């Protein structure tokens, strides 16, 4: 079962890389580009920046205190991608492990002297995740041994006591290692790390203890808060612990924290974490489009969490949020050439960014960069795209559920299915039975798809000719099911309504008052202005029905708008609420995930009305 | 001439503390509180935190690398206030000065090894400003000697070369020392520091070189950018250099930078510096009310700059912005008891802050704090309130101009005037001639006062009885003048219209779309909700004429609004733009500078419509 998350119980069982293969299409192409380009790109930069050299003992040590974790994330990506460079890189890492299992190129001489900022347990977490990936894809080898020795060291050192790490991730890593090996102490160690948090376990810092979720026990929290990646990694680990220990109350706590976060602290793109200062969630309804931080890694963490909650509960809302985040955050985070990345993902950019060939020190999100001082996002994207098939479908005792509609082949319980679709550009999804068998097939109908239809088209044969064409029935948001048995050639045809739609913000989101956005299918759209195109500073959109255009294998939209001519102006607060007229324009909207691929640009998701 | 700024040329000559005295009233009361409470409060905290002890050589050294500057700002406040503790504190400082004039408790053993962050020249700047204050208020003494020796050291060390400081302030300090002593090399040193900037003079940093205005020469810049306090201190020094060297082009450069900054990068309160991350101006029109940083020190720097530009040009716009910033930022920065301070000054607070008795590490602006890790603001407030009389009035060859209407006594050129007014609560300003003489008297009519009137009421006497009462004439925004000669008892009566008014933001300020604010006279108002009062999260105001109420020697306002009941809600972006109705309420508005004095509160300047 080649899967990053493999709970021993829950409503749904995930199907792994051994059961799902992506075919050419939106995600299949991205996964291929990741395997062929992005993984090598990351490896080259980590070598160039000296972060791999740190494991060889090269001096002076280079990179931030947590740079080891980048190599581990890359190793995880390589494990899922079955990449030929993995053994050599794993061997380099292994050389740095000490006799008792300790491994860290920064703190080797001064172990565990800074739990707040040291990231030692965080680094182990990513090492263990890489080890689990390797174990499941390949079986035991050097990398899995290093990971297990590190995990054993952690259990010996931390099973008793009150300590934990300033940056969560080891919690979910240890649970997964328990799932992969059956060794119960890993689960117990994870459980203790979860329960220690907020007692408190860490020192107070200028950002406040909420920054690393140490302000209160996880069971008492009502919403995700503090540093977004930390909060979402922790929540993922908490779900894992809750599922494996059967702790319903703990699971419910995370569910209700998620619910409030979705309602009040999430951007339209699925992005989370509004603030630049401490990369944190802001307060409820603090969702500025321009200064939205929306770290790419936080969106990956949000996908990881939603996936866990989906498996645990079977609730379609988690899959809906995962889809929104996949198409509008993960797909945005990496350029169409696979070699540059967004760290921050604002929804409004006023001033075109200055192109940058090298390392980006201040990732504001105006242009994708090849690398960052803190380069978590590229490696996180790489490991996520490499394991993406595992998010597509799940199984229950009575059948298969397809959560994400993308060209793919799915095998489970004797059934083999081929999913064919031009989604997200078209709304037609055909599930073709390649090898017949028993079972109920469920297809997710996204929340926005209020007029979807489903047809079950049995294979036509001389013995059982199709009577008068398929029976088409409405399919409400949620899961639409068709029962078997199935014969090779049977088809299910889902039609999702793809008309572009205007979307309005809750009136409590102050920063978006008086504006609206356009969505189509799972995609958020934005206006983008590059080079000599008119700037978007004084834009007023009219709520005309968006017109569709096929451009470069994507769908672009056009709405009516007026654009004012920028002028200097004086004191900008006056007794007049008058609106200056601008010139009428046809405003082109591109999928948000494609913005910033044509050079420095200004951009707006939310259009003033 | 007891004045912090004394240009040798310019359209207006400032009147100093020897010419203007504040009487009881809005600013007189604040200045008295500052003298009696705030200065001692600062001194106590600087002793308690060990920042004064650093000068005694106490070890370990405590405080940030620039903590010396806090003691210098306090010394400046003491100098203007003629405070009895000054000599002893100056003596403590003097002990730390080295033989060649170098003085810095942090870098003594490793001089000038970090121009980017070391703040050594910045500290000298504040020391020199304190020395100039002392020289002008008292004459030469220990403090002035220390300052002059430091300035001489700076000139010896830095006259040649390319270096400058990561934090400007020494530029204006050196020009003022030149003005106070006539020693030309101080001016030349200041000029060189100004011209070196942006060549560049400093290293690149993750915030980018614009953070310390080293991204381009000051003459080429089009707007203030980067760290707001740095930008505004630098601009003040540039004006000083331009005025003393007769460099019209340089002056024009700052004027046009100021103009664009006022039109595009200034909050309604006069606050500047939108971003928390690097305490910087954001882009044009990036003016979020909730995350507005608006550091108190930046507003003080803005007042310093506007004052310099007013003196150089005589343009009333500078006095208008200074007034706005004085009443809505400086007055807001310190509590009504003089013992706690705002560092950040947002225009919208969603969640009441948690009270804090000690040092505030993360000054978000929700509640005033007694002290901060970086405690620039309290000392900056203290020195500004102590020198406030110097901002009230100016003179020209033909008379006196009154820029800020507050109870005061003004003497110049044989004329003695008494200003009587309840401003900013009432709009009646009476200037009574106490000692007669020649000259034209000018009174500023603020830009918002479009229906002001002015009356000249000669003293009534048996020889020249008043005919039928005073002649009242309209007074347009700008300066309203009345010519002399004057006899004791003559009066000028200015009537400013004080009806509350609704104010709308430029439509390019995205964060304020669909909302309006209420102003009255020079004051910005806000809704505030403490304790059990209904929260302001789901507020819709109606543009009813605000009703006035006299409360606690202030004027509060009331408008009609509706308040929704908060609910959890689901995904907050929907196809519906519908507005849920709320309960009708009378919404109380308080002057922004008084908010946060009743305990933890939520607050809104901009009211959704």
């Amino acid at each position: 079962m080649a899967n990053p998350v493999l709970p021993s119980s829950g409503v749904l069982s995930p199907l792994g890389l051994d059961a799902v293969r992506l075919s050419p299409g939106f995600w299949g192409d991205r996964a291929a580009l990741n395997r062929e380009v992005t993984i090598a790109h990351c490896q080259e930069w980590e070598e160039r920046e000296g972060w791999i050299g740190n494991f060889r003992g090269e001096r002076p040590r280079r990179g931030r205190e947590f740079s080891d974790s980048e190599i581990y994330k890359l190793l995880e990506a390589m494990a899922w991608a079955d990449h030929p460079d993995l053994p050599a890189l794993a061997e380099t890492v292994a050389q740095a492990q000490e006799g008792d299992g300790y491994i860290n190129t920064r703190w080797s001489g001064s172990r565990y002297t800074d739990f707040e900022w040291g990231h030692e347990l965080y680094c182990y977490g990513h090492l263990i995740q890489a080890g689990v990936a390797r174990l499941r894809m390949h079986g035991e080898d050097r990398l899995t041994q290093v990971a297990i020795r590190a995990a054993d060291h952690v259990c010996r050192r931390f099973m008793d006591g009150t300590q934990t790490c300033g940056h969560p991730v080891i919690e979910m890593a240890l649970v997964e290692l328990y799932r992969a090996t059956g060794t119960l102490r890993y689960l117990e160690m994870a459980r203790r790390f979860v329960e220690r948090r907020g007692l408190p376990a860490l020192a107070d810092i200028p950002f406040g203890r909420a920054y690393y979720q140490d302000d209160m026990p996880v069971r008492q929290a009502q919403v995700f808060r503090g540093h977004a990646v930390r909060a979402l990694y922790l929540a993922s680990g908490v779900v894992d612990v809750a599922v494996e220990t059967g702790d319903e109350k703990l699971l419910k706590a995370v569910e209700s924290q998620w619910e409030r976060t979705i309602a009040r602290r999430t951007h339209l793109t699925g992005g989370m974490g509004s603030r630049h200062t401490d990369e944190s969630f802001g307060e409820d309804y603090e969702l500025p489009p321009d200064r939205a931080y929306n770290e790419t890694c936080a969106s990956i963490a949000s996908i990881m969490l939603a996936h866990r909650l989906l498996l645990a509960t079977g609730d379609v809302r988690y899959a809906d949020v995962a889809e929104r985040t996949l198409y509008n955050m993960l797909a945005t985070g990496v350029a169409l050439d696979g070699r540059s990345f967004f760290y921050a993902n604002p929804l409004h950019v006023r001033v075109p960014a200055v192109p940058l060939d090298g390392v980006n020190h201040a990732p504001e999100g105006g242009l994708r960069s090849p690398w960052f001082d803190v380069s978590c996002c590229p490696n996180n994207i790489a490991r996520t795209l490499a394991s993406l098939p595992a998010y597509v479908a799940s199984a229950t005792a009575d059948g298969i559920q397809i959560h994400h509609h993308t060209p793919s082949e799915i095998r489970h319980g004797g059934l083999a299915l081929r999913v064919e679709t031009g989604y997200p550009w078209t709304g037609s999804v055909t599930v073709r039975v390649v090898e017949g068998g028993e079972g109920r097939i469920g297809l997710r109908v996204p929340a926005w798809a209020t007029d979807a239809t489903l047809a079950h088209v049995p294979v036509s044969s001389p013995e059982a000719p199709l009577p008068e064409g398929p029976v088409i029935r409405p399919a409400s948001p949620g899961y639409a099911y068709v029962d078997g048995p199935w014969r090779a050639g049977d088809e299910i045809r889902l039609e999702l309504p793809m008309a572009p739609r205007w979307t309005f913000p809750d009136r409590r989101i102050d920063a978006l008052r008086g504006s609206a956005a356009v969505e189509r299918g799972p995609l958020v759209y934005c206006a983008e202005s590059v080079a000599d195109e008119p700037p978007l500073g004084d834009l007023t959109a009219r709520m005309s029905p968006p017109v569709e255009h096929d451009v470069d294998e994507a769908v672009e939209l056009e709405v009516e708008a007026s654009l004012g001519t920028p002028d200097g102006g004086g004191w900008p607060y006056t007794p007049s609420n008058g609106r200056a007229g601008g010139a009428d324009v046809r405003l082109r909207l591109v999928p948000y995930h494609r913005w910033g691929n044509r050079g420095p640009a200004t951009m707006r998701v939310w259009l003033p009305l």
Side-chain angles (χ1 to χ4, degrees), chain A:
Chain A
M1 299 287 276
N3 219 303
V5 188
L6 215 44
S8 64
S9 68
V11 175
L12 308 177
S13 303
L15 297 181
L17 276 65
D18 46 346
V20 180
R21 269 171 218 284
L22 300 180
S23 317
F26 190 93
W27 288 114
D29 295 349
R30 296 222 165 215
L33 185 71
N34 181 61
R35 202 167 44 241
E36 287 150 27
V37 175
T38 306
I39 288 177
H41 174 92
C42 290
Q43 192 178 2
E44 278 163 32
W45 272 95
E46 281 160 33
E47 195 62 80
R48 189 185 314 181
E49 291 290 302
W51 304 350
I52 295 176
N54 291 336
F55 285 94
R56 295 187 206 104
E58 288 166 15
R59 289 294 172 266
R61 185 188 177 281
R62 292 170 65 193
R64 292 287 299 268
E65 61 275 29
F66 41 73
S67 69
D68 292 1
S69 70
E70 308 309 345
I71 283 73
Y72 302 150
K73 269 181 274 182
L74 177 62
L75 281 168
E76 185 188 337
M78 288 176 166
W80 297 124
D82 223 347
H83 197 280
D85 290 357
L86 184 144
L89 185 55
E91 188 55 40
T92 302
V93 165
Q95 300 297 334
Q97 192 165 38
E98 302 181 26
D100 64 350
Y102 182 91
I103 177 167
N104 190 294
T105 69
R106 164 65 183 82
W107 299 99
S108 178
S110 53
R111 290 183 184 192
Y112 306 125
T113 49
D114 185 353
F115 285 96
E116 284 72 28
W117 298 106
H119 288 79
E120 282 156 294
L121 293 167
Y122 167 81
C123 288
Y124 290 139
H126 281 299
L127 172 61
I128 293 166
Q129 288 181 324
V132 168
R134 186 62 171 170
L135 199 57
R136 288 182 175 153
M137 288 294 291
H138 171 95
E140 210 178 309
D141 76 347
R142 197 80 165 105
L143 179 57
T144 66
Q145 289 161 1
V146 172
I148 287 171
R149 289 182 59 209
D152 289 339
H153 162 77
V154 168
C155 292
R156 282 194 305 274
R157 174 69 175 71
F158 294 101
M159 192 63 80
D160 298 321
T162 61
Q163 290 156 328
T164 191
C165 185
H167 199 315
V169 86
I170 192 156
E171 299 80 1
M172 62 173 140
L174 284 170
V175 176
E176 216 54 51
L177 186 60
Y178 154 70
R179 288 166 172 168
T181 63
T183 306
L184 198 62
R185 68 171 172 280
Y186 302 141
L187 174 62
E188 177 60 14
M189 185 72 262
R191 193 189 67 78
R192 293 188 186 192
F193 281 142
V194 163
E195 299 287 3
R196 279 172 198 174
R197 230 171 177 89
L199 296 181
L202 297 159
D204 207 2
I205 51 172
F207 286 147
R209 216 180 263 117
Y211 173 78
Y212 36 44
Q213 297 76 46
D214 194 38
D215 52 334
M216 64 180 78
V218 69
R219 293 170 189 275
Q220 287 171 25
Q222 307 211 311
V223 67
F224 299 140
R225 67 222 180 279
H227 187 268
V229 177
R230 284 172 167 82
L232 295 162
Y233 278 179
L234 176 64
S236 298
V238 175
V239 172
D240 290 339
V241 166
V243 165
E244 294 308 323
T245 60
D247 191 332
E248 279 292 328
K249 272 192 172 166
L250 190 58
L251 180 63
K252 284 279 174 226
V254 179
E255 285 183 78
S256 87
Q257 292 160 22
W258 182 90
E259 207 156 319
R260 176 156 158 187
T261 303
I262 288 297
R264 303 183 181 197
R265 300 188 174 191
T266 305
H267 290 269
L268 181 64
T269 52
M272 293 185 184
S274 280
R275 294 188 179 174
H276 280 244
T277 313
D278 51 358
E279 302 179 311
S280 73
F281 288 99
E283 304 291 353
D284 285 353
Y285 303 116
E286 182 188 322
L287 293 162
D290 49 354
R291 292 292 285 170
Y293 194 67
N294 282 352
E295 186 182 338
T296 302
C297 285
S299 74
I300 289 171
S302 169
I303 293 165
M304 294 167 78
L305 174 61
H307 183 56
R308 282 161 170 77
L309 288 168
L310 172 68
L311 297 178
T313 66
D315 190 331
V316 70
R317 293 179 309 161
Y318 299 117
D320 282 346
V321 165
E323 173 175 75
R324 178 175 292 277
T325 313
L326 283 164
Y327 280 105
N328 300 294
M329 289 292 299
L330 183 69
T332 311
V334 53
L336 297 178
D337 70 358
R339 293 180 188 280
S340 60
F341 311 89
F342 277 140
Y343 196 111
N345 293 276
L347 282 77
H348 179 190
V349 172
R350 287 190 182 83
V351 179
V354 177
L356 193 68
D357 272 345
V359 176
N360 188 344
H361 305 292
E364 294 278 316
L367 264 185
R368 295 178 183 83
S369 299
W371 205 244
F372 305 92
D373 277 338
V374 174
S375 237
C376 42
C377 299
N379 299 294
N380 227 343
I381 289 170
R383 71 173 181 146
T384 307
L385 284 172
S387 57
L388 205 63
Y391 293 84
V392 168
S394 64
T396 52
D398 64 357
I400 294 172
Q401 303 80 40
I402 302 176
H403 307 290
H404 298 295
H405 307 306
T406 198
S408 51
E409 303 201 352
I410 302 172
R411 285 183 174 273
H412 177 74
L415 268 180
L417 309 176
R418 179 179 303 134
V419 180
E420 295 168 352
T421 179
Y423 194 77
W425 311 117
T426 71
S428 301
V429 180
T430 301
V431 178
R432 194 182 305 275
V433 177
V434 179
E435 291 173 26
E438 297 295 316
R440 194 180 200 200
I441 297 175
L443 275 75
R444 185 173 62 88
V445 179
W448 47 263
T450 42
D451 294 309
T453 60
L454 189 78
H456 174 195
V457 192
V459 64
S460 192
S461 70
E463 307 90 68
L466 257 172
E468 296 174 40
V471 181
I472 297 175
R473 61 177 169 93
S476 307
Y479 289 93
Y481 295 101
V482 187
D483 289 315
W486 303 93
R487 287 194 303 162
D490 284 356
E491 283 181 16
I492 305 171
R493 293 183 196 156
L494 176 65
E495 286 292 335
L496 299 171
M498 299 302 277
R501 56 194 194 275
W502 286 92
T503 297
F504 301 91
D506 185 297
R507 70 190 179 283
R508 288 167 291 189
I509 305 176
D510 295 284
L512 302 180
R513 188 164 290 117
S515 61
V518 177
E519 298 181 277
R520 181 180 181 277
L523 301 183
V524 171
Y525 277 70
C526 65
E528 181 186 31
S529 168
V530 300
D532 292 339
E533 294 169 4
L536 305 172
D538 189 9
L539 173 74
T540 310
R542 274 188 287 281
M543 281 184 51
S544 57
V547 177
E548 304 192 0
H549 296 282
D550 292 330
V551 181
D552 292 345
E553 297 173 33
V555 176
E556 294 187 353
L557 303 174
E558 212 176 67
V559 297
E560 294 171 16
S562 70
L563 272 175
T565 313
D567 62 59
W571 180 245
Y573 309 103
T574 64
S576 151
N577 198 13
R579 311 228 136 217
D584 285 349
V585 295
R586 306 282 310 170
L587 186 70
R588 190 163 69 115
L589 305 179
V590 300
Y592 177 74
H593 73 258
R594 290 173 77 99
W595 98 271
N597 276 293
R598 298 188 299 143
T602 63
M603 183 272 291
R604 271 181 188 276
V605 167
W606 291 100
L607 310 175
L609 294 176

